[in-house]
Amino acid sequence: MTPRTRWTSAGTLTATLIAAAVLAACGGGGGGATPATPPTDTPLRVQLEKIGGYSTGLFGVSAAEIPAYDAASQRLFMVNAQAGKVDVLDLRVPASPVKIGEIDATAVLAGAEINSVAVHDGLVAVAIQAPVKTDPGRVALFRAADLALLGSAAVGAQPDMITFTPDGRTVLLANEGEPSDDYQIDPEGSISIVDVSTPATPVVRTAGFSAFNAQKAALQAAGVRVYGPNATVAQDLEPEYITVSADGRTAWATLQENNAFAKIDIASATVTDILPLGFKDHGVAGNELDASDTDGGTINIRTWPGVRGLYLPDSIASYSAGGQTYLVTANEGDARAWGEDNAAYWAGDASKGFVEEFRVKHLVNRSGWAGRAGNDLPPQLNALAAGGLLDPVTFGHCGAIAGNPGACRNDENLGRLNVTWTMGYRTNPDGSPMLFDATGAANPAGNRLMYDHLYSYGARSFSIWNADGQLVWDSGAEFERFLASADCKLGSARSIPCADFFNSGHDEGSAKDSRSDAKGPEPEGIAVGQVNGRTLAFIGLERMGGVLVYDITVPTAPRRLDYLNTREDWTTADPGTVLATAGDLGPEGLVFIPAARSPIGVPLLVVGNEVSGTTAVYRINATGGVR
């Protein structure tokens, strides 16, 4: 099959599709006999309640990341990145999980570590990264009941996430293929599609991206971020997370740094589409953000014309509504930062790394950026020009004039915001930078870039897309506005005002507003499940912490139902010193356990918290919904 690239822009559902989704959400449908007793549909109310947990006792070393659950053995499998293993917990009593074993990857590949785990009807699949991450990894299969190794096979470089198809016969791995830290080796990203129907002899097929190499310029023009130095398309695309359609025929992988989806036909093991995701306009009402971490500790959520947020989603899930498949993403954001610890790179050797993140105040300093040389000035940026300017038409709202960014670069405005220097400047028809002089006049002999827009990382939201990557709904500024409101409370008792610790970091105390210049609350993990006939999305906020719950049954009209953040200590400078009582910090991965598979007959949510090294078990208390 010849791959085709579909380049789509954000769109909306047709009236027919919306009506179908609403009808399905209300318990109706097309065809078939009318039930004798019509279903009732009352407003769903949900409250998360932490009922148990397990602690590794390790702080800040990613000792609890990705969970998976096996209903038959009632065992929870939690990736412990610090140990490079999977911790196995007995979840028969969810209030008191007990570690009963572990899965060690070194028996499969010496010196390796496990990045991800998935379970289907007693079969445990793990994604194993090689000791040298640019080398091929492996997939390994274990029996949940006794942890016996059943089989393994080679896959692509840096398998970062693994998932089963609904029938359990196939696993898919997102082989991220990140470059080496010095950028000397850059393996191709890929999707491994593995037949595990005979676990002793798994059969691997690879859906790669090499067929798109000749389409690099067209992909870039369409909005796919293909921008690594000297990289082919296949090298530059980095699959992060995968979801599979209910019929098991199609998969979608987030290409996080590339701000796109890959659409995969599972039967043919072919990437059929690369779908650019576009950006969020932070200059319009509803998409506001707090852009500074040094504005006196105040909460300043406002529009910023000229600032655009790249979605750059991490986790992705899928569900069906009205006969259509929808994709749900946690729009974390991520910057490429290779060679950041390499002195030679910062000394000017562009071959030793690639760092795209730069603060606005340094990017548009009217004196140029030479003063950052040897500190944090990327040599690739320095090779383009000697400084950057802000378009006074776009950024006149914060004081920019020709040749002078004015108050826009002040810390309390946009100065502290982290953006990518690789996008937003004006270019010539051939794609080369258009140059300006220091007065702001276009001049081929000049040495300044003109930034018409600034692109920040992540959308500080979660989104719903259709199967072709068109935006159906986005939460806009709701996360930050809710965290700043009097309705939001922290702690297991829900008694601590969220606003007192707005946009805090997950590994520090007394840190109000500390993440506003970066990615805000940083939504990362997402899980989707059915409760009382409604489809719910659970979104973990990596930095601020806690889990948001939304009813997404109608894709165009999600509704927030709850937020629980069980972090208890918000003031100790180093939470690791009070780890036993600090609570849960840094949610990374989430798994939903439906009532029918739950050890206690009610739905549960399990969260791996990478900073506190804790596993949290939440009971989902629900009333109402479709009965």
Side-chain angles (χ1 to χ4, degrees):
M1 179 182 293
T2 301
R4 62 186 177 86
T5 304
R6 179 180 298 156
W7 301 305
T8 56
S9 59
T12 57
L13 293 176
T14 63
T16 300
L17 184 54
I18 293 173
V22 172
L23 182 62
C26 294
T34 302
T37 304
T40 60
D41 187 358
T42 59
L44 180 68
R45 295 183 178 181
V46 167
Q47 186 174 71
L48 296 179
E49 175 190 2
K50 184 177 179 181
I51 61 171
Y54 170 79
S55 177
T56 63
L58 300 171
F59 177 81
V61 290
S62 299
E65 288 194 333
I66 308 298
Y69 174 70
D70 176 53
S73 62
Q74 296 184 349
R75 290 181 168 185
L76 183 79
F77 298 82
M78 177 66 73
V79 173
N80 183 332
Q82 186 274 337
K85 303 177 182 179
V86 172
D87 289 337
V88 183
L89 308 180
D90 184 341
L91 204 65
R92 287 178 296 176
V93 181
S96 303
V98 177
K99 182 178 177 181
I100 56 174
E102 59 187 26
I103 293 175
D104 188 345
T106 58
V108 178
L109 185 61
E113 59 187 56
I114 295 175
N115 283 341
S116 185
V117 61
V119 181
H120 189 281
D121 288 347
L123 184 63
V124 182
V126 299
I128 301 174
Q129 179 176 307
V132 178
K133 71 173 184 176
T134 54
D135 288 346
R138 293 190 74 84
V139 58
L141 304 168
F142 297 82
R143 190 161 45 229
D146 60 7
L147 310 184
L149 174 63
L150 302 177
S152 71
V155 294
Q158 199 187 9
D160 198 44
M161 187 268 179
I162 190 168
T163 190
F164 277 89
T165 54
D167 64 7
R169 296 177 61 86
T170 304
V171 297
L172 290 87
L173 297 95
N175 304 312
E176 191 166 8
E178 290 179 344
S180 58
D181 289 344
D182 61 3
Y183 232 121
Q184 301 305 294
I185 303 172
D186 189 0
E188 294 185 354
S190 64
I191 307 295
S192 290
I193 299 173
V194 188
D195 184 341
V196 296
S197 55
T198 305
T201 56
V203 179
V204 179
R205 295 176 299 153
T206 301
F209 298 101
S210 60
F212 293 97
N213 284 343
Q215 303 178 40
K216 183 175 182 177
L219 287 167
Q220 290 173 320
V224 180
R225 302 187 73 213
V226 183
Y227 61 106
N230 304 314
T232 65
V233 171
Q235 288 174 312
D236 204 68
L237 298 182
E238 297 182 0
E240 185 81 23
Y241 215 92
I242 303 172
T243 191
V244 180
S245 62
D247 63 12
R249 296 178 178 178
T250 307
W252 295 261
T254 55
L255 307 173
Q256 185 172 23
E257 290 82 358
N258 312 104
N259 198 38
F261 294 150
K263 191 173 184 178
I264 303 111
D265 179 73
I266 295 175
S268 64
T270 304
V271 178
T272 58
D273 291 283
I274 299 176
L275 308 170
L277 301 182
F279 58 84
K280 173 183 287 187
D281 186 350
H282 288 299
V284 302
N287 287 344
E288 303 88 346
L289 80 161
D290 189 321
S292 177
D293 63 334
T294 58
D295 51 0
T298 60
I299 298 174
N300 183 22
I301 303 170
R302 51 160 289 190
T303 55
W304 290 101
V307 176
R308 294 173 169 179
L310 296 170
Y311 290 98
L312 304 172
D314 186 328
S315 299
I316 184 172
S318 57
Y319 72 108
S320 298
Q324 303 295 318
T325 296
Y326 294 93
L327 312 175
V328 190
T329 58
N331 304 318
E332 177 199 21
D334 197 15
R336 282 186 169 150
W338 307 114
E340 58 184 340
D341 297 322
N342 190 332
Y345 177 72
W346 296 118
D349 187 347
S351 72
K352 299 299 185 183
F354 182 77
V355 177
E356 64 164 313
E357 191 174 60
F358 212 42
R359 290 197 190 275
V360 171
K361 65 189 296 183
H362 304 321
L363 186 64
V364 298
N365 186 336
R366 65 185 302 190
S367 299
W369 48 55
R372 308 303 302 179
N375 185 354
D376 59 355
L377 176 63
Q380 291 92 348
L381 172 61
N382 199 36
L384 291 179
L389 303 171
L390 287 180
D391 177 8
V393 175
T394 304
F395 292 97
H397 64 89
C398 53
I401 59 175
N404 187 348
C408 292
R409 69 180 295 270
N410 289 355
D411 284 356
E412 64 271 20
N413 289 326
L414 291 173
R416 294 284 297 173
L417 186 65
N418 287 310
V419 297
T420 177
W421 57 261
T422 66
M423 299 175 65
Y425 57 81
R426 208 170 299 175
T427 59
N428 295 310
D430 65 358
S432 62
M434 183 180 291
L435 296 176
F436 294 75
D437 61 31
T439 70
N443 184 348
N447 62 1
R448 295 291 192 270
L449 304 179
M450 177 65 71
Y451 281 86
D452 295 320
H453 298 95
L454 298 170
Y455 289 83
S456 61
Y457 297 100
R460 307 189 185 194
S461 65
F462 87 102
S463 299
I464 298 177
W465 316 78
N466 70 15
D468 292 320
Q470 296 176 317
L471 185 65
V472 173
W473 183 88
D474 182 80
S475 62
E478 185 170 327
F479 285 3
E480 285 191 305
R481 289 210 173 278
F482 172 67
L483 294 172
S485 74
D487 294 332
C488 183
K489 304 294 182 182
L490 303 167
S492 296
R494 304 177 187 246
S495 60
I496 305 169
C498 296
D500 290 353
F501 302 98
F502 172 81
N503 276 358
S504 285
H506 55 16
D507 57 357
E508 54 188 347
S510 300
K512 179 181 178 179
D513 217 24
S514 70
R515 297 299 302 172
S516 292
D517 61 320
K519 295 175 279 187
E522 205 162 317
E524 178 170 4
I526 196 160
V528 168
Q530 289 275 332
V531 175
N532 289 8
R534 313 290 288 186
T535 302
L536 305 186
F538 305 88
I539 304 106
L541 304 182
E542 183 180 12
R543 298 290 179 160
M544 182 67 187
V547 177
L548 285 157
V549 186
Y550 277 77
D551 183 341
I552 59 170
T553 308
V554 180
T556 55
R559 183 171 63 94
R560 190 182 73 249
L561 300 179
D562 195 28
Y563 173 65
L564 180 61
N565 187 329
T566 54
R567 179 176 176 177
E568 306 294 349
D569 189 311
W570 290 83
T571 57
T572 302
D574 179 1
T577 62
V578 290
L579 184 57
T581 57
D584 301 306
L585 297 87
E588 175 79 7
L590 305 86
V591 64
F592 170 78
I593 302 174
R597 291 178 171 267
S598 168
I600 57 174
V602 296
L604 301 175
L605 182 74
V606 179
V607 180
N609 298 283
E610 62 173 342
V611 173
S612 56
T614 55
T615 298
V617 182
Y618 299 101
R619 177 182 173 128
I620 303 170
N621 298 310
T623 59
V626 180
R627 294 288 187 176

